[in-house]
Amino acid sequence: MGGDTHNSSGLPPFILTGLPGLEASQHWMILLLGLLYTVSIMGNSLILFIIKEEQSLHQPMYYFLSLLSVNDLGVSFSKLPTVLATFCFHIREISFNSCMAQMFFIHVFSFIESGILLVMSFDRYVAIGHPLHYVTVLPDARVVQMGMSAIIHSFCMIFPLPFLLLRLPFCKANVLSHAYCLHPDLIRLLCGDVTISNIFGLVIVISTFDSVLILLSYVLILRSVLAIASKEERLKTLNTCVSHICAVLIFYVPMVSVSMVHRFGKHAPEYVHKFMSLVYLFVPPMLNPIIYSIKTKEIRKRLHKMFFVPKL
């Protein structure tokens, strides 16, 4: 193959990047990442186990929470191999096919999480706005349909991305900006006209109205809550939404922050951009099980039974 242009079959391995400028603190980074992964994997696994074992949690709200935990495990495991290889073992090479697969799974799990948060907001609206019809509006079959819709929609939106990348040759330096593969990172290595890829990326963003629909759900929820006469009952009702509101915030705030830093923080040190990206991908899977464990009485009780056995 002549020159520096490579197609997918002849492309040399991509080179992953850690945190340039913070090499002296790499051991602290390893400890931090190890802690994040441990809490995320153990926390989400415990949530799944408790919901499976506790009959009182076999309700739509907790079925959606189970789906969120499975997705958070998917997010964690999709990044785990290359992050550990880069930071712990200083192995920075990743093959083209492995990079494409990782990119696909990271993006599809991120989109699925957004969809799950949307269906969870609908669940909260039905539970608060129409409590007498909750069981009829959200039977098990509809819960499955809603969960599958979030997964299928995300899969269909992300599936074309690898094939759009394969259309053009990679002819620039094969060094990536992160310890994992992302679509914006790969597209900048392409030669030729990337207009179609850019337009498709824009279509994905425009077609994702999850955050707007979640906001609309909470407007309707707030309207229903304000119709409750008792202040104590209003606060009690709103308290059932706290876990979900926190989950929405820890997903969307880092996402918006990464976008803002990328657009308006171009003069910031490179490690700031990389650190923000790590926060966006690592923090939600870690915090979600912690939040739901603290705020959900049934889960909290089961955890207490498991880890704090009363003395005889």
Side-chain angles (χ1 to χ4, degrees):
M1 188 176 294
D4 294 322
T5 302
H6 306 277
N7 60 22
S8 61
S9 60
L11 192 71
F14 290 113
I15 307 300
L16 302 167
T17 307
L19 291 174
L22 295 180
E23 286 80 4
S25 304
Q26 289 285 69
H27 59 289
W28 293 111
M29 203 60 204
I30 293 171
L31 289 174
L32 176 61
L33 291 174
L35 176 63
L36 291 175
Y37 268 123
T38 301
V39 173
S40 175
I41 293 170
M42 289 188 63
N44 285 294
S45 298
L46 273 173
I47 292 287
L48 290 170
F49 173 78
I50 290 171
I51 292 174
K52 177 180 178 294
E53 294 296 316
E54 284 290 329
Q55 193 69 30
S56 62
L57 298 180
H58 293 181
Q59 304 173 34
M61 173 183 174
Y62 300 106
Y63 293 149
F64 291 135
L65 176 57
S66 297
L67 188 56
L68 183 66
S69 292
V70 170
N71 190 75
D72 282 342
L73 286 172
V75 172
S76 297
F77 284 120
S78 64
K79 305 185 304 290
L80 181 63
T82 55
V83 170
L84 288 181
T86 301
F87 286 98
C88 298
F89 305 107
H90 306 290
I91 300 172
R92 303 187 183 278
E93 290 189 353
I94 181 171
S95 69
F96 179 85
N97 290 332
S98 297
C99 191
M100 288 294 107
Q102 186 182 52
M103 178 206 72
F104 173 79
F105 283 114
I106 287 177
H107 286 297
V108 82
F109 281 129
S110 295
F111 269 81
I112 290 173
E113 180 133 357
S114 180
I116 295 169
L117 291 173
L118 173 59
V119 296
M120 291 176 84
S121 70
F122 178 73
D123 167 82
R124 290 297 81 211
Y125 166 66
V126 175
I128 293 170
H130 306 278
L132 298 178
H133 303 287
Y134 184 68
V135 176
T136 55
V137 172
L138 287 174
D140 290 351
R142 186 159 296 162
V143 170
V144 172
Q145 289 173 359
M146 292 170 69
M148 289 303 298
S149 295
I151 294 170
I152 293 170
H153 173 258
S154 302
F155 180 86
C156 292
M157 295 305 296
I158 302 301
F159 184 72
L161 290 183
F163 299 100
L164 290 174
L165 290 174
L166 289 170
R167 290 173 51 254
L168 298 171
F170 287 79
C171 63
K172 299 179 183 178
N174 61 333
V175 179
L176 302 177
S177 302
H178 303 284
Y180 37 82
C181 299
L182 297 175
H183 182 258
D185 210 11
L186 290 168
I187 202 171
R188 67 181 179 83
L189 305 181
L190 293 172
C191 289
D193 187 1
V194 295
T195 303
I196 295 177
S197 293
N198 285 330
I199 290 174
F200 187 76
L202 182 61
V203 169
I204 290 176
V205 172
I206 293 173
S207 65
T208 307
F209 292 110
D210 293 350
S211 57
V212 176
L213 295 175
I214 290 171
L215 181 61
L216 176 61
S217 295
Y218 273 98
V219 170
L220 297 174
I221 288 170
L222 189 59
R223 189 179 69 174
S224 298
V225 169
L226 292 175
I228 300 173
S230 168
K231 180 181 178 181
E232 184 179 340
E233 285 298 316
R234 287 201 298 267
L235 292 175
K236 185 179 178 181
T237 302
L238 280 175
N239 191 52
T240 63
C241 299
V242 170
S243 299
H244 180 255
I245 292 172
C246 290
V248 170
L249 290 175
I250 64 173
F251 178 75
Y252 283 106
V253 169
M255 178 193 290
V256 173
S257 300
V258 167
S259 179
M260 295 291 285
V261 168
H262 179 72
R263 285 170 171 77
F264 304 110
K266 294 182 179 179
H267 299 295
E270 189 178 357
Y271 66 80
V272 172
H273 295 265
K274 298 180 187 300
F275 183 76
M276 290 300 298
S277 179
L278 284 172
V279 168
Y280 165 56
L281 288 173
F282 279 83
V283 170
M286 179 199 68
L287 287 184
N288 282 335
I290 293 175
I291 291 168
Y292 277 94
S293 297
I294 292 172
K295 294 299 297 179
T296 306
K297 185 178 179 181
E298 293 84 355
I299 295 177
R300 198 166 62 242
K301 280 183 177 179
R302 183 58 187 252
L303 286 172
H304 191 272
K305 287 181 184 178
M306 291 171 64
F307 296 107
F308 301 99
V309 180
K311 294 181 180 180
L312 298 176

